C-alpha cells in the first residue's frame, strides 16, 4: 500500500529543549503537529509568545533585498542560485549579529537614497517652475524699493487683452511678459504702492495668480543654483550606487537570512499548538511509521534519550488521519496526477502505482515522436544535472524525464523523427497505412485498463468482505465485457458459433447477476429490481469509456501529421530561404507542435485516468499530510544523512 501508515506521536520534555525538538522536526519534515490537549497549562496564543518580531524583521529583509536588486548595478549580475542544505547548515550560515549589522547598513543607504529621490523631485519641480522665470533679471519684491511694488504671477491667455487694457489706464504701471505657454502668460508687474487699491480689483477680475517669491536672488540666478544642486545630487546618487554595488555580494546572505527567518516564523507558529508549563512542554503530531527511526536518530543526536518522554500510538478509527503517499522514484512523480484529482482516504488504496504504467503507455502513444522524446530526455537531464529547483518543479522535471522513454519507444514504433520517417526496419506501425490497427490497439488498451480497474475494485470489495457487491460491481461487469469480446471474436474473427454462444451466455448470466443481486440486498424487492435494472444500464457508460480511448490514435497521428506538414512547408522553400529563414521557421514550428503535443498528451492522458479508470474503484477525499517544514523560498531543505543508528 503506497499510503503511508501513520502513528500518533507525543513528546513531553523540559521547556529548555522545546526549541531543539521543533528544530529537529522542521529539519526532518516528517511530523504534522496537532493542537495538544491542555495537560500542562493554558496554551499561549501566537500573540502572547515572548518572541522576536520575526514578521517585522522579515519585512525589513525583503525591502532591503528588493532595494539592492533594483538599484545596485552589480546585483543584476548576481544570480541567486537555489541550493540544497540541511536545516543545521542553514542555521549555521545565519550569524544574527553580523546579519543585522549588514541589514542596518543597507537600510541606511536605502534611507539616503529615499532622501535623494525626494530632493530630486523637489528640484525637478523647482527647475520646471524657474525655467519660466529664468529670463527675469530683477528680484521681485525687492525691499530696497520703498515706493514701488513688484509682483510676478500667472494669467490665463483668454484674459490677456482685458488685463493689458485695464492696467494701461493706471499711470506709471509697468508690466512685462516673461514667458508664454499654450494656455498661460507669466508677467512681471511694477507699480506705485499708492496704486495698490486700483491694481488689486483688476488682478482679481482677470484671475491673475500672484506667485510668491521669497528668495533674495534673481530668478535667473536661482535657476542656475537649482541646476548646480541637481548636478551635485546626481554626483551623490552615483556615489551612493557605487556604495550599493559593494553590497551586491550580500544578496545571497540576505536570501539565506530570509529563509532562516521564514523557518523561525513557522517554528514560532508551531509553538501555539503545544501545551507548556513553567518547566515542561507537551507536543503531539502525526508521523509516518516508516520514518520513526530516522526521526528518533536525528533527535537523539541533539538531546539525551532520557531527557524526553516519547510515545507512539496507533490511530483510532474515526480520527482525522492525514495522508502521505509513498512510492518508488519511478512512480513518485506521477503522484501529482493523483493529487490533482483527490488524495485517497487513509486506508484506501493509492491509485498512483496502478495508473502509472497505463499513463506512460498512453502519453507515449499520443506524442509518439523519437525526436520529441529525445528533446524531453536531454532537456530534463540538463535540468537535473545543472539546476536545483523547488520540490514541485523537481517532480515535474522527473515526470517528463520518465515520460521521454515511452515517447521515444512509440516514436520508433511509428517511425517518426520530428515528423520525418525513420529508415527501415521502422515504422513497425504506419500512421498512414495502419490506422485501423492503431485504432483497434487504442481500444484494446482501454479495454485492458477498464478490466484492470474492475479487478482492483473486486479485490478491494472482497477484502472488505462485501462479497455480493464484489460480484455486482466488479466480477459481473468483467464477465459482461469478456463475454462480449468472446462473442465478437468467435463471430467475426474465428467464425465459431460455439465461442459466440459461450460469450453471449456469459454476458447474459453476468447481466442477470447485476439485476438480481440488489433484489436480495434490498428490503423492498421492487426497489431492488429497479436498482438492478438501472445498474445494468451502466453498460452504455462502458461503451463511451472505450470510445474515449480512440483519442490515443487520434492525437498520435495528428501530432506526427502536423510535424510532417511543417517539414513539407519548409521543404518547398528555395534553397537560400530554406537554409536561412527556413531553419528559424522549422525550429519555431516544431517547438510549437512539441508544446501542443505534450499539453494534449498531459491533459487527455490524465482525463483517461480520472474518468475511465479511477471511477471504477477509487473514492478519494483524503486530507494531505502537512508536516512542520520550511518555506523553501531559496533553499531546498534536505534530510540530514544519519550515520548513527
Amino acid at each position: 500500500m503506497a499510503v503511508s501508515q501513520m502513528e500518533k506521536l507525543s513528546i513531553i520534555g523540559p521547556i529548555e529543549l522545546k526549541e531543539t525538538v521543533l528544530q529537529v522536526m522542521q529539519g526532518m519534515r516528517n511530523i504534522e503537529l496537532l493542537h495538544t490537549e491542555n495537560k500542562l497549562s493554558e496554551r499561549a496564543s501566537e500573540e502572547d509568545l515572548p518572541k522576536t518580531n520575526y514578521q517585522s524583521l522579515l519585512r525589513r529583509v525583503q525591502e532591503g533585498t528588493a532595494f539592492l536588486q533594483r538599484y545596485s548595478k552589480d546585483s543584476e549580475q548576481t544570480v541567486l542560485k537555489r541550493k540544497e542544505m540541511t536545516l543545521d547548515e542553514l542555521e549555521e550560515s545565519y550569524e544574527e549579529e553580523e546579519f543585522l549589522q549588514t541589514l542596518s547598513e543597507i537600510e541606511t543607504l536605502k534611507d539616503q537614497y529615499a532622501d535623494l529621490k525626494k530632493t530630486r523631485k523637489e528640484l525637478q519641480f523647482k527647475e520646471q517652475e524657474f525655467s519660466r522665470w529664468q529670463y527675469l533679471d530683477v528680484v521681485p519684491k525687492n525691499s530696497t524699493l520703498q515706493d514701488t511694488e513688484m509682483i510676478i504671477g500667472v494669467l490665463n491667455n483668454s484674459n490677456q487683452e482685458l488685463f493689458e487694457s485695464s492696467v494701461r489706464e493706471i499711470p506709471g504701471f509697468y508690466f512685462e511678459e516673461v514667458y508664454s505657454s499654450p494656455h498661460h502668460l507669466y508677467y512681471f508687474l511694477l507699480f506705485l504702492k499708492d496704486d495698490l487699491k486700483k491694481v488689486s480689483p483688476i488682478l482679481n477680475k482677470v484671475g491673475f495668480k500672484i506667485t510668491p517669491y521669497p528668495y533674495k536672488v534673481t530668478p535667473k540666478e536661482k535657476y542656475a543654483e537649482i541646476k548646480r544642486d541637481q548636478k551635485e545630487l546626481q554626483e551623490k546618487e552615483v556615489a551612493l550606487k557605487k556604495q550599493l554595488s559593494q553590497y551586491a555580494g550580500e544578496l545571497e546572505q540576505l536570501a539565506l537570512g530570509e529563509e532562516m527567518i521564514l523557518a523561525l516564523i513557522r517554528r514560532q507558529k508551531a509553538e501555539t499548538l503545544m501545551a507548556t508549563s513553567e518547566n515542561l512542554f507537551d507536543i503531539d503530531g502525526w508521523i509516518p511509521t516508516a520514518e520513526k527511526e530516522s526521526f528518533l536518530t536525528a533527535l537523539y543526536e541533539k538531546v539525551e534519550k532520557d531527557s524526553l518522554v516519547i510515545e507512539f500510538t496507533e490511530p483510532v478509527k474515526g480520527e482525522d488521519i492525514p495522508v502521505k503517499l509513498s512510492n518508488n522514484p519511478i512512480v513518485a512523480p506521477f503522484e501529482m496526477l493523483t493529487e490533482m484529482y483527490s488524495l485517497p482516504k487513509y486506508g484506501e488504496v493509492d491509485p498512483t502505482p496502478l495508473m502509472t504504467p497505463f499513463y506512460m503507455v498512453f502519453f507515449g502513444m499520443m506524442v509518439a515522436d523519437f525526436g520529441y522524446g529525445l528533446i524531453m530526455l536531454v532537456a530534463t537531464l540538463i535540468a537535473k544535472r545543472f539546476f536545483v529547483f523547488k520540490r514541485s518543479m523537481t517532480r515535474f522535471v522527473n515526470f517528463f524525464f520518465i515520460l521521454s522513454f515511452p515517447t521515444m519507444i512509440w516514436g520508433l514504433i511509428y517511425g517518426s523523427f520530428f515528423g520525418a520517417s525513420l529508415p527501415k526496419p521502422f515504422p513497425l506501425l504506419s500512421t498512414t497505412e495502419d490506422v485501423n490497427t492503431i485504432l483497434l490497439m487504442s481500444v484494446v488498451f482501454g479495454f485492458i485498463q477498464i478490466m484492470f480497474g474492475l479487478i482492483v475494485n473486486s479485490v478491494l470489495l472482497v477484502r472488505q468482505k462485501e462479497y455480493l457487491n464484489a460480484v455486482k460491481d466488479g466480477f459481473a461487469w468483467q464477465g459482461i465485457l469478456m463475454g462480449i469480446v468472446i462473442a465478437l471474436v468467435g463471430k467475426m474473427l474465428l467464425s465459431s458459433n460455439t465461442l459466440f454462444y459461450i460469450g453471449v451466455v456469459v454476458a447474459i448470466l453476468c447481466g442477470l447477476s447485476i439485476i438480481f443481486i440488489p433484489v436480495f440486498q434490498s428490503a423492498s424487492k421492487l426497489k431492488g429490481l429497479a436498482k438492478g435494472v438501472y445498474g445494468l444500464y451502466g453498460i452504455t457508460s462502458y461503451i463511451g469509456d472505450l470510445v474515449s480511448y480512440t483519442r490515443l490514435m487520434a492525437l498520435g497521428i495528428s501530432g506526427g501529421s502536423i510535424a510532417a506538414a511543417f517539414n513539407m512547408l519548409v521543404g518547398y522553400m528555395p534553397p537560400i530561404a530554406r537554409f536561412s529563414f527556413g531553419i528559424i521557421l522549422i525550429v519555431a514550428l516544431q517547438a510549437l507542435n512539441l508544446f501542443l503535443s505534450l499539453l494534449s498528451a498531459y491533459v487527455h492522458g490524465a482525463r483517461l485516468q480520472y474518468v475511465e479508470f479511477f471511477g471504477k474503484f477509487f473514492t478519494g477525499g483524503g486530507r494531505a499530510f502537512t508536516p512542520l517544514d520550511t518555506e523553501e523560498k531559496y533553499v531546498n531543505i534536505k534530510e540530514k544523512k544519519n550515520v548513527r543508528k
Side-chain angles (χ1 to χ4, degrees):
M1 184 175 65
V3 176
S4 299
Q5 183 179 351
M6 290 286 173
E7 291 187 32
K8 189 171 285 186
L9 165 70
S10 177
I11 300 178
I12 299 177
I15 196 70
E16 59 268 17
L17 294 181
K18 175 185 65 175
E19 191 70 19
T20 303
V21 172
L22 285 174
Q23 192 262 357
V24 173
M25 288 181 172
Q26 193 173 41
M28 294 299 292
R29 303 168 52 86
N30 58 8
I31 295 177
E32 178 183 307
L33 299 181
L34 297 171
H35 280 277
T36 305
E37 294 181 6
N38 186 16
K39 304 172 186 175
L40 303 175
S41 68
E42 288 294 330
R43 181 170 51 242
S45 67
E46 188 175 340
E47 292 76 14
D48 295 334
L49 291 172
K51 284 289 185 180
T52 306
N53 189 348
Y54 290 121
Q55 290 289 356
S56 175
L57 181 56
L58 176 63
R59 283 193 296 272
R60 290 175 57 194
V61 175
Q62 291 174 339
E63 289 172 0
T65 301
F67 172 69
L68 273 184
Q69 289 176 328
R70 183 174 181 181
Y71 295 107
S72 174
K73 289 184 178 180
D74 292 346
S75 68
E76 298 174 0
Q77 303 172 359
T78 305
V79 180
L80 293 176
K81 293 184 177 180
R82 195 169 188 83
K83 293 184 173 183
E84 283 191 335
M85 306 172 70
T86 64
L87 187 57
D88 287 341
E89 291 170 342
L90 178 63
E91 297 203 7
E92 289 170 4
S93 70
Y94 180 69
E95 297 291 341
E96 185 174 15
E97 185 175 347
E98 180 182 344
F99 177 79
L100 292 177
Q101 176 63 31
T102 301
L103 180 60
S104 178
E105 293 171 2
I106 294 172
E107 287 176 327
T108 300
L109 294 175
K110 177 173 170 283
D111 293 339
Q112 292 177 4
Y113 192 87
D115 291 339
L116 285 177
K117 190 175 180 181
K118 180 181 178 182
T119 305
R120 184 170 65 240
K121 286 184 176 180
E122 292 173 353
L123 288 176
Q124 286 173 345
F125 176 77
K126 288 182 178 180
E127 179 196 13
Q128 184 180 12
E129 184 67 22
F130 278 92
S131 66
R132 297 159 184 162
W133 299 108
Q134 61 176 310
Y135 304 107
L136 185 63
D137 54 1
V138 297
V139 181
K141 209 172 183 178
N142 194 321
S143 60
T144 60
L145 301 176
Q146 299 295 326
D147 299 326
T148 59
E149 185 79 24
M150 284 189 285
I151 295 175
I152 59 174
V154 185
L155 178 69
N156 193 288
N157 284 356
S158 61
N159 295 326
Q160 179 183 10
E161 186 177 345
L162 176 62
F163 166 72
E164 292 184 359
S165 62
S166 299
V167 297
R168 282 194 181 102
E169 296 177 0
I170 301 174
F173 190 98
Y174 173 80
F175 66 90
E176 179 183 340
E177 183 182 311
V178 181
Y179 180 80
S180 174
S181 73
H183 302 289
H184 296 89
L185 296 169
Y186 294 76
Y187 280 100
F188 167 72
L189 311 181
L190 179 65
F191 55 91
L192 294 172
K193 289 186 177 180
D194 293 340
D195 293 333
L196 184 61
K197 291 183 178 180
K198 298 178 182 179
V199 173
S200 294
I202 295 173
L203 297 183
N204 291 333
K205 183 178 180 180
V206 298
F208 188 92
K209 185 177 180 182
I210 298 174
T211 302
Y213 192 86
Y215 309 104
K216 295 182 179 181
V217 296
T218 65
K220 185 175 183 179
E221 292 172 324
K222 188 63 181 178
Y223 183 74
E225 181 185 327
I226 291 171
K227 283 293 189 182
R228 288 194 300 271
D229 290 345
Q230 284 182 323
K231 186 176 180 181
E232 290 178 7
L233 191 68
Q234 188 175 9
E235 291 173 353
K236 288 181 181 179
E237 189 171 336
V238 170
L240 183 59
K241 286 187 175 181
K242 189 174 180 181
Q243 278 185 277
L244 281 174
S245 65
Q246 299 173 3
Y247 286 90
E250 302 294 334
L251 277 173
E252 182 176 341
Q253 195 60 31
L254 285 175
L256 294 177
E258 183 180 349
E259 190 74 62
M260 187 66 239
I261 293 166
L262 288 167
L264 291 171
I265 288 173
R266 291 200 175 193
R267 206 181 298 171
Q268 189 178 76
K269 289 181 179 179
E271 292 187 32
T272 65
L273 301 176
M274 62 173 63
T276 59
S277 67
E278 185 177 350
N279 300 313
L280 296 174
F281 74 90
D282 182 10
I283 188 166
D284 298 334
W286 292 107
I287 182 171
T289 303
E291 299 182 35
K292 283 196 309 185
E293 291 302 320
S294 61
F295 168 70
L296 291 175
T297 302
L299 182 62
Y300 291 144
E301 286 182 353
K302 296 289 185 71
V303 301
E304 295 295 329
K305 284 189 176 182
D306 296 337
S307 61
L308 299 172
V309 177
I310 302 177
E311 181 182 17
F312 296 97
T313 56
E314 294 290 332
V316 179
K317 187 176 181 180
E319 285 188 295
D320 182 23
I321 308 171
V323 173
K324 180 182 180 183
L325 303 182
S326 179
N327 291 289
N328 63 57
I330 294 178
V331 175
F334 294 84
E335 290 174 356
M336 65 182 184
L337 296 175
T338 302
E339 292 168 1
M340 286 171 59
Y341 182 81
S342 177
L343 284 172
K345 293 179 180 177
Y346 185 77
E348 188 180 10
V349 67
D350 176 14
T352 310
L354 306 176
M355 166 263 294
T356 297
F358 292 104
Y359 190 90
M360 291 172 64
V361 172
F362 297 165
F363 187 95
M365 193 174 179
M366 284 187 279
V367 181
D369 187 282
F370 187 84
Y372 291 171
L374 196 60
I375 287 180
M376 292 166 60
L377 177 64
V378 173
T380 52
L381 282 175
I382 292 173
K384 286 160 64 74
R385 174 66 178 83
F386 296 104
F387 299 95
V388 177
F389 297 104
K390 287 188 174 182
R391 294 178 190 273
S392 57
M393 187 61 185
T394 299
R395 185 166 63 168
F396 206 69
V397 170
N398 290 333
F399 178 75
F400 282 102
F401 169 73
I402 294 169
L403 290 174
S404 67
F405 293 99
T407 300
M408 288 189 290
I409 292 172
W410 279 100
L412 293 175
I413 293 173
Y414 286 174
S416 178
F417 184 80
F418 294 109
S421 298
L422 291 171
K424 291 185 178 182
F426 305 106
L428 304 180
L429 286 173
S430 171
T431 54
T432 56
E433 299 176 3
D434 300 318
V435 175
N436 290 334
T437 303
I438 297 173
L439 176 62
L440 179 61
M441 186 169 58
S442 300
V443 175
V444 169
F445 283 154
F447 180 82
I448 292 172
Q449 186 175 37
I450 290 173
M451 288 293 291
F452 183 68
L454 291 171
I455 291 172
V456 172
N457 187 45
S458 301
V459 172
L460 293 176
L461 290 172
V462 168
R463 287 181 179 177
Q464 298 167 14
K465 298 183 179 180
E466 297 183 19
Y467 302 114
L468 289 178
N469 286 334
V471 173
K472 175 174 64 74
D473 297 329
F475 295 123
W477 283 112
Q478 296 169 48
I480 289 176
L481 294 177
M482 285 302 302
I484 293 173
V485 169
I486 292 171
L488 291 175
V489 170
K491 192 70 172 178
M492 301 176 65
L493 297 181
L494 302 179
S495 299
S496 172
N497 288 329
T498 303
L499 282 178
F500 173 75
Y501 289 125
I502 290 174
V504 170
V505 170
V506 169
I508 291 174
L509 290 176
C510 292
L512 290 174
S513 67
I514 292 174
I515 293 174
F516 289 107
I517 285 178
V519 175
F520 297 110
Q521 292 177 318
S522 302
S524 172
K525 304 306 178 184
L526 186 60
K527 287 183 179 180
L529 181 62
K531 186 177 179 182
V533 172
Y534 181 77
L536 185 61
Y537 180 73
I539 188 67
T540 57
S541 68
Y542 285 92
I543 297 173
D545 291 347
L546 289 172
V547 172
S548 292
Y549 285 92
T550 59
R551 71 188 68 222
L552 301 177
M553 176 272 295
L555 289 174
I557 292 178
S558 64
S561 300
I562 292 172
F566 288 158
N567 294 337
M568 188 180 299
L569 175 66
V570 175
Y572 282 137
M573 288 182 173
I576 295 177
R578 188 187 312 157
F579 294 103
S580 54
F581 174 72
I583 294 176
I584 300 174
L585 180 62
I586 193 63
V587 170
L589 292 176
Q590 290 287 359
L592 175 63
N593 192 43
L594 171 60
F595 171 75
L596 294 177
S597 296
L598 294 180
L599 179 63
S600 298
Y602 177 79
V603 172
H604 290 290
R607 183 197 175 281
L608 289 174
Q609 309 310 313
Y610 296 159
V611 179
E612 277 70 42
F613 185 54
F614 282 9
K616 303 298 181 291
F617 65 94
F618 182 58
T619 303
R623 180 177 66 81
F625 179 69
T626 54
L628 173 62
D629 56 7
T630 58
E631 188 76 18
E632 295 193 322
K633 184 175 181 179
Y634 303 104
V635 177
N636 287 354
I637 300 299
K638 60 182 180 180
E639 182 180 334
K640 182 178 178 181
K641 299 296 182 182
N642 296 307
V643 295
R644 188 180 68 182
K645 296 292 184 182

